[in-house]
Amino acid sequence: MSRTDVGETLREMWETRPARPRDDRQVAGVAAGIARRYDIDPVLVRVGFVVAAFSGIGAALYIAGWILLPAAPADPAAPRPTRPRTWLVVALAIGAAVTMGSVFGGNGPDWILPLLVVAGLLYLLHRSRGDRGARAAEAPTVAAPMAAPGPSLLKEPTGAAGSTEPPVNPPAWDPLGAAPFAWDLPEPSPAQAEPPPRRLPVTPVTLGLALIVGSAAAVIMMLGGMLTLANLAVLCGVVLTVLGAGLVLGAFLRTGRGLIPFALLLSALTWAIVAAPVDRWEGDGYGELVAAPTTEAALQKSYERGAGEIDLDLRNLDLSVPPDGNTSPVRTRISMGAGDVTVRVPPTADVTLTAAAGFGDVRFGGLEDDGPDAHVQVIDDLGTDGVRSGRPLVLDIDAGLADVEVRRG
């Protein structure tokens, strides 16, 4: 494919961009307009926006479509336009705020790949179905022929002179009255409407297939010793792939909408497992853990909690260089599944910190990161004195769904 073909396709996509309809809209009609343009089920487009929202760009893409796609002209004979749902507008605003926070909050490159994927899918959709909606929209309408003025060719109804009986009119199938003897025959019955085409059972078949494939994957993982909490996201991804294939097939067959709730719930569950891995919840117990070691011997190699709170006070930890001249770092590791982590270090300690949370907030001094995959990394922070003094303190904090704070003093 040459650059000319790509350029022509992009120009055609812009010139034939759809209008946002005034009916069948949930918020602004962006998904309905795209679906009508390419002759696909609007539910598939809406599901696509929801999936894109999990990558952080769904709300921004919808707002961009709201701005770039023109509104359909008002038709006086059309029904009253559908008003946007308030809760969807509020959710869209919240999603847009989260997206902007991710872009300008230090996670800018994370949205580039999803944006390229969406652009590529839209390009391929236009290449394969670009003439569907446009061809339907340009189909000419044939006007009904108007009756020409002049004498009628229908035979006038006759009746006996002076008769009180109403005149007999010819039936519709014999307007010229060519068979007067059959004028008393009944009118032909109207043609029966064809029954609507039977829809394929995409929803039950896909759900059954997802159950079978998911069970088979679980058995294979169990036999291989891989069925653990850490691999639960893989199992959910296998089932989600089957549901996604059913949604795509149902979009072209105009059926399968019953799969949407299952796909959305499983997508949210998979995203939560990936963002806050449940294997981190297998820590050493639950509840509150408070420790304030003062020597290296009292400092544990790791502090773990599946859920709860960890409060580690290292302000009185002895980091001075011993007489033997040992300047090796003092290390400890903290693992939290869901909860809060608070670590206090000496004001003048030389700190090296690696802190990550699947979803939450991570803070150290003036550094802060929040949202999915929040992380803060600091190397050789010399503290308030600004000089190297004593043995370095190395902290490694790994959390799932948690708020992590490391502060001095």
Side-chain angles (χ1 to χ4, degrees):
M1 185 180 300
S2 63
R3 293 184 177 179
T4 304
D5 294 337
V6 175
E8 291 179 355
T9 302
L10 295 177
R11 180 170 53 83
E12 181 182 345
M13 290 175 63
W14 175 255
E15 293 177 351
T16 62
R17 65 190 186 277
R20 295 181 285 107
R22 297 179 178 271
D23 58 335
D24 191 25
R25 59 165 59 181
Q26 299 298 324
V27 179
V30 176
I34 296 175
R36 293 183 182 182
R37 170 64 181 86
Y38 296 107
D39 192 23
I40 59 178
D41 196 331
V43 176
L44 180 64
V45 184
R46 290 168 182 147
V47 172
F49 276 113
V50 173
V51 174
F54 287 108
S55 65
I57 64 172
L61 287 177
Y62 196 92
I63 293 176
W66 195 341
I67 296 174
L68 297 178
L69 300 184
D75 185 2
R80 186 176 181 180
T82 306
R83 297 184 61 183
R85 299 185 181 182
T86 304
W87 67 273
L88 286 176
V89 176
V90 173
L92 182 64
I94 295 175
V98 173
T99 301
M100 294 301 100
S102 299
V103 172
F104 298 104
N107 294 332
D110 295 343
W111 57 268
I112 296 179
L113 180 59
L115 184 61
L116 293 177
V117 171
V118 172
L121 291 176
L122 186 59
Y123 179 84
L124 294 177
L125 179 64
H126 184 84
R127 294 280 297 184
S128 61
R129 304 177 68 87
D131 59 338
R132 297 292 184 93
R135 184 171 54 196
E138 296 173 0
T141 57
V142 180
M146 299 180 61
S152 173
L153 297 178
L154 297 180
K155 185 176 181 179
E156 296 293 337
T158 60
S163 175
T164 59
E165 297 181 359
V168 181
N169 295 322
W173 52 269
D174 187 23
L176 297 179
F181 60 87
W183 283 12
D184 58 344
L185 295 179
E187 293 285 349
S189 59
Q192 296 183 355
E194 297 183 0
R198 182 181 179 184
R199 293 187 176 184
L200 298 178
V202 174
T203 298
V205 171
T206 304
L207 290 177
L209 186 61
L211 182 61
I212 294 174
V213 173
S215 302
V219 171
I220 294 175
M221 295 173 66
M222 182 175 59
L223 294 177
M226 299 181 294
L227 189 59
T228 62
L229 290 176
N231 293 327
L232 186 58
V234 176
L235 184 60
C236 292
V238 172
V239 179
L240 191 59
T241 301
V242 178
L243 295 181
L247 281 172
V248 173
L249 179 62
F252 293 100
L253 299 178
R254 302 288 181 174
T255 184
R257 296 192 176 190
L259 296 173
I260 296 176
F262 297 95
L264 292 179
L265 290 176
L266 190 58
S267 298
L269 177 61
T270 305
W271 176 80
I273 294 174
V274 173
V278 294
D279 60 323
R280 298 174 183 172
W281 297 18
E282 298 180 313
D284 185 13
Y286 300 87
E288 185 179 15
L289 189 156
V290 179
T294 58
T295 64
E296 183 180 8
L299 179 66
Q300 299 181 17
K301 296 299 181 182
S302 64
Y303 296 88
E304 300 180 0
R305 275 291 182 268
E309 182 179 354
I310 296 179
D311 187 350
L312 183 59
D313 188 354
L314 303 179
R315 289 176 295 179
N316 297 321
L317 181 63
D318 185 10
L319 297 175
S320 60
V321 179
D324 59 2
N326 182 14
T327 59
S328 60
V330 177
R331 301 176 181 271
T332 189
R333 180 180 180 275
I334 299 174
S335 177
M336 169 63 76
D340 297 327
V341 177
T342 302
V343 181
R344 286 167 284 184
V345 299
T348 59
D350 301 341
V351 177
T352 294
L353 170 66
T354 301
F359 190 91
D361 190 14
V362 180
R363 299 182 298 275
F364 174 69
L367 301 177
E368 182 177 1
D369 192 12
D370 56 7
D373 194 23
H375 61 279
V376 169
Q377 186 172 14
V378 177
I379 299 177
D380 287 340
D381 186 272
L382 302 181
T384 57
D385 57 359
V387 297
R388 296 185 180 275
S389 57
R391 301 173 63 183
L393 178 61
V394 179
L395 301 175
D396 185 7
I397 304 175
D398 189 14
L401 182 64
D403 288 336
V404 179
E405 181 181 10
V406 180
R407 61 175 183 261
R408 293 183 178 274

